[in-house]
Amino acid sequence: AFEDKVHHESFEYRVVTSDASYRTVWAKIGSKHFDENGKVIRLTGTVQDITQRKQIEENRRVDDALMEQAFGKSPIGMLLINIQGRILRVNQSLSDMIGVSEEELLYKDWRRFAHPEDLYTDRQLMIDLLEGKINSYQFEKRMLHKDMHEVWVQLNVSLVNDESGSPLSIIV
């Protein structure tokens, strides 16, 4: 109830506008005015429309949930690595492919699971990617299963940049 909220310094609530649409507002109480029985009869303070911010937050939440589902439930093995080569995220399909759990893969260098004969090519392509010479690359390579047999994969790699265009992470 609104009456309960007046006991806080600030709070959010929804209002109905004259055109019957809803807006979310944030109110900050400056002072409270009471009647002779101690009941709040008037508030002074500020009210700010935060509808757009709340919609952006909700959109981000939905986008994050969709990305989590797309990454986690993909039948294609996927990795997210930092630009130093450490694994930040891995999905179950990749874990199953090489017989290594997500916990065993996280924060390890991805090259640990690459076949030694493919490392030079992979390293050179990664350097070209990070230097901006190429936007992405793909090639067939071997990964090593936990029991040390080779697993042939079609590797597709692309760079994720931050807002300023600097390399942030790599999707494999």
Side-chain angles (χ1 to χ4, degrees):
F2 185 79
E3 291 78 25
D4 295 332
K5 294 180 181 189
V6 300
H7 299 292
H8 300 283
E9 193 171 308
S10 65
F11 52 94
E12 293 178 10
Y13 60 99
R14 291 181 68 191
V15 296
V16 180
T17 64
S18 60
D19 67 357
S21 64
Y22 287 92
R23 307 297 293 175
T24 302
V25 297
W26 176 77
K28 178 163 177 57
I29 298 173
S31 60
K32 299 174 189 175
H33 305 271
F34 302 92
D35 67 11
E36 62 277 353
N37 297 321
K39 183 178 178 185
V40 175
I41 56 172
R42 187 174 66 231
L43 301 172
T44 57
T46 58
V47 176
Q48 181 179 4
D49 185 343
I50 60 170
T51 306
Q52 185 176 8
R53 185 192 83 198
K54 295 300 273 186
Q55 186 61 52
I56 290 168
E57 289 171 359
E58 176 62 12
N59 291 348
R60 186 173 292 135
R61 187 189 65 72
V62 169
D63 287 349
D64 289 349
L66 287 171
M67 286 305 298
E68 179 66 31
Q69 290 290 320
F71 189 91
K73 294 188 184 267
S74 174
I76 298 168
M78 297 175 71
L79 289 171
L80 180 65
I81 61 175
N82 66 17
I83 59 175
Q84 291 78 31
R86 299 273 176 212
I87 298 170
L88 302 174
R89 294 213 39 209
V90 60
N91 69 357
Q92 189 63 49
S93 293
L94 185 76
S95 292
D96 293 345
M97 192 181 310
I98 62 173
V100 181
S101 72
E102 178 180 357
E103 293 77 26
E104 293 173 284
L105 289 165
L106 285 178
Y107 308 110
K108 305 288 189 310
D109 191 306
W110 66 270
R111 290 169 280 238
R112 243 175 120 166
F113 307 98
H115 192 283
E117 292 176 23
D118 296 334
L119 279 175
Y120 178 78
T121 302
D122 218 351
R123 190 174 304 127
Q124 287 307 118
L125 288 166
M126 188 69 72
I127 289 168
D128 289 347
L129 183 73
L130 291 170
E131 290 178 352
K133 295 177 183 173
I134 57 175
N135 294 323
S136 62
Y137 67 89
Q138 59 181 272
F139 76 103
E140 288 185 3
K141 69 172 274 173
R142 294 161 288 184
M143 293 185 73
L144 296 176
H145 191 275
K146 187 175 188 173
D147 67 10
M148 299 310 290
H149 73 266
E150 296 174 356
V151 177
W152 280 92
V153 298
Q154 170 68 38
L155 192 70
N156 297 283
V157 180
S158 60
L159 188 62
V160 177
N161 294 315
D162 64 16
E163 297 82 25
S164 68
S166 298
L168 182 63
S169 58
I170 300 159
I171 298 173
V172 182

